[in-house]
Amino acid sequence: MPAIKKTTKKTVVATGSRFVIDATLPVDDQILDAAAFERYLNEHFKTTKGAKAGVLGEVATIQRDGAKITVTSKSTLAKRYIKYLTKRFLKKSQLRDYLRIISADKKTYQLRYFNIEGAEEEDQE
């Protein structure tokens, strides 16, 4: 008797990506302008490899809620690309020497100040 093969259909659900950039520390200290950062991301964000910058269409959305900026995409999106754009904005704003972007968890980046403990110890001596 031949063996009966069971076939199952696998449904592939294209899940989108959702990343958050938390810039509460520099925004509260009035060092970083969250509206300018959101505008920069909207102007320079590319949805696919050959796409023009700034043309998001229906593929991606960038929203600001206070000091948190949320990047949502219907297709897969590299978290590293968001870090790259953030570093470019900090360099353009001449803040790269004072701020760094750190991964807080799997879906969140956080802007923090560099720890300059050596300079504080030298001043006290």
Side-chain angles (χ1 to χ4, degrees):
M1 179 170 201
I4 300 173
K5 294 183 180 179
K6 293 184 179 181
T7 59
T8 59
K9 294 183 180 179
K10 294 182 181 180
T11 56
V12 178
V13 179
T15 58
S17 303
R18 181 176 180 267
F19 298 108
V20 177
I21 303 170
D22 184 11
T24 53
L25 290 175
V27 170
D28 289 345
D29 294 339
Q30 298 178 349
I31 292 178
L32 181 76
D33 184 17
F37 183 40
E38 178 190 19
R39 193 174 331 110
Y40 181 85
L41 288 177
N42 276 320
E43 293 171 356
H44 291 86
F45 196 82
K46 291 184 181 180
T47 54
T48 57
K49 188 172 183 176
K52 291 184 178 180
V55 182
L56 298 178
E58 296 180 7
V59 178
T61 58
I62 299 173
Q63 299 174 351
R64 179 174 50 98
D65 183 30
K68 293 186 179 186
I69 296 175
T70 306
V71 179
T72 308
S73 176
K74 291 182 181 176
S75 63
T76 57
L77 178 67
K79 185 178 173 187
R80 181 81 182 146
Y81 182 61
I82 296 171
K83 185 173 184 176
Y84 165 75
L85 285 176
T86 305
K87 283 183 173 183
R88 280 186 57 191
F89 174 76
L90 292 175
K91 184 72 172 179
K92 181 183 171 197
S93 302
Q94 299 176 348
L95 295 172
R96 184 77 178 101
D97 295 334
Y98 310 106
L99 295 173
R100 62 182 177 161
I101 183 165
I102 298 175
S103 178
D105 59 31
K106 194 172 182 178
K107 299 288 181 179
T108 306
Y109 275 123
Q110 202 170 33
L111 287 173
R112 292 188 187 171
Y113 295 105
F114 279 111
N115 292 334
I116 308 174
E117 296 174 13
E120 293 175 4
E121 292 174 2
E122 292 174 5
D123 292 339
Q124 291 175 359
E125 292 178 0

